[in-house]
Amino acid sequence: MYEPAGPLGRKRQRIFSSVSALAVVGLLIAIGMRLQTSGQFDADKWAIFLHWGTAKFLFDGLVSTIMAAACSALAAFALALPLALGRLSTRAWLSRLAGAYIEFFRAIPLLLLILFMVIELPALGFDWPALGFLVFAMALHHSALTAEVVRAGILSLPRGQREAALALGMRPSQAMLHVVLPQALRSMLPALISSLLAIVQDTSLGYVIPYDELLHRSQDVSSYAPQSLLQAAFIVTMMYGVISAVLLYLKRWVVRRQRRAVARSAAKRAGAGSADAAEDLRRSQLVVKTDRLN
């Protein structure tokens, strides 16, 4: 169990945080000075990115990245739900089959899975574009990861929710569909956003196909202008960082909204409890007054 730090512990944490921040700032200054010495801030190395054609070229790569991430996320989330329900099934064969799928595709590195799809599927007659191979491989891998997130969200709910639904006459499938899943999906939404962020970042592995996504476009730029290799990597990192920052902000917004909803619900329950207590006190006083009159 975690215990909140006392005054001495908080003082130590502030000291460690200050020392760590100073160390990070010093490291960044040292890196900047090293880059300045090697001429990485020279105008000729950044000039290519001031052309509209280069900006449009990289923006088209960003669009391709978002398209691959969206398709992969839809396919992965669509597969994750039945996989999680299969893993939780009371039928042993179904639970073992879903568990084998999840463990198998979680264990395979995504890069090797993408390469396998590109090499083996065309030999079997699947003449897909590069986007199809990338989405298929990412859907298989991330569906296994997301299925565990969904399963954990379902198991985190109190058992009384399902038991109450069954007591009302619902079948187990109806209780899962109408009672358990809506609450579980609401509670696991921040984790699903984190899964989406991982999918966006993993689209960069599409450069090995090659799929014309953002990282592959930056390699094309650095091939055309070798002196701007580090600059291209920096700009692409910033573009990925913007997408990641948007998703992280969305995740924090969802978490804050859920906390406010929980606080409002607790306040309503407390208000209802106070009203009931006041009503009980009023009734007891009325009874006492009646007894005195009698």
Side-chain angles (χ1 to χ4, degrees):
M1 298 293 290
Y2 173 78
E3 295 182 358
L8 183 59
R10 289 195 295 270
K11 183 178 180 180
R12 289 174 180 172
Q13 290 176 358
R14 287 193 296 268
I15 294 174
F16 291 152
S17 300
S18 301
V19 172
S20 300
L22 290 175
V24 171
V25 171
L27 179 61
L28 292 176
I29 292 175
I31 293 174
M33 294 176 62
R34 178 64 177 174
L35 293 175
Q36 177 66 30
T37 304
S38 61
Q40 296 299 327
F41 295 116
D42 294 345
D44 62 321
K45 294 185 177 181
W46 296 89
I48 188 174
F49 301 103
L50 299 179
H51 293 107
W52 167 248
T54 304
K56 185 178 184 302
F57 186 74
L58 292 176
F59 181 77
D60 290 342
L62 179 61
V63 172
S64 298
T65 293
I66 295 175
M67 183 185 304
C71 295
S72 301
L74 289 175
F77 292 168
L79 288 173
L81 183 57
L83 283 172
L85 295 179
R87 189 76 182 269
L88 294 171
S89 175
T90 55
R91 297 182 176 88
W93 66 270
L94 182 58
S95 178
R96 291 174 182 172
L97 183 62
Y101 175 97
I102 292 172
E103 296 301 327
F104 179 77
F105 284 107
R106 285 176 63 191
I108 298 179
L110 179 56
L111 181 60
L112 296 181
L113 187 59
I114 294 173
L115 290 174
F116 178 81
M117 295 298 171
V118 174
I119 295 171
E120 295 297 329
L121 289 184
L124 299 176
F126 294 94
D127 189 15
W128 293 346
L131 177 61
F133 293 115
L134 179 61
V135 168
F136 188 42
M138 291 185 62
L140 293 176
H141 181 76
H142 282 282
S143 64
L145 298 178
T146 309
E148 288 298 280
V149 174
V150 176
R151 185 171 73 95
I154 293 174
L155 293 177
S156 67
L157 290 180
R159 294 182 59 183
Q161 299 288 332
R162 182 175 181 273
E163 293 173 353
L166 295 177
L168 293 175
M170 291 187 179
R171 295 191 298 272
S173 59
Q174 291 177 327
M176 178 63 69
L177 182 62
H178 298 291
V179 177
V180 176
L181 272 182
Q183 299 182 69
L185 291 175
R186 192 180 303 112
S187 64
M188 73 178 84
L189 187 56
L192 293 178
I193 296 175
S194 298
S195 299
L196 178 59
L197 177 58
I199 291 174
V200 171
Q201 295 173 348
D202 284 345
T203 55
S204 61
L205 297 176
Y207 79 95
V208 300
I209 296 180
Y211 173 64
D212 222 12
E213 44 80 44
L214 184 57
L215 182 58
H216 187 262
R217 290 285 178 108
S218 72
Q219 291 178 337
D220 291 340
V221 172
S222 58
S223 298
Y224 177 77
Q227 75 278 6
S228 302
L229 174 62
L230 184 61
Q231 288 73 16
F234 175 79
I235 290 176
V236 168
T237 300
M238 292 298 101
M239 295 175 75
Y240 275 113
V242 170
I243 299 176
S244 300
V246 170
L247 291 176
L248 288 175
Y249 176 81
L250 177 62
K251 177 182 177 181
R252 289 194 292 268
W253 179 79
V254 169
V255 171
R256 289 196 300 267
R257 187 178 179 86
Q258 290 179 345
R259 287 176 179 173
R260 286 197 295 266
V262 171
R264 285 196 298 267
S265 178
K268 288 181 180 179
R269 288 196 298 268
S274 300
D276 292 341
E279 181 65 19
D280 293 339
L281 178 62
R282 188 185 66 80
R283 290 178 179 178
S284 62
Q285 291 175 348
L286 181 60
V287 169
V288 170
K289 289 181 180 180
T290 304
D291 291 341
R292 287 178 179 177
L293 291 176
N294 295 331

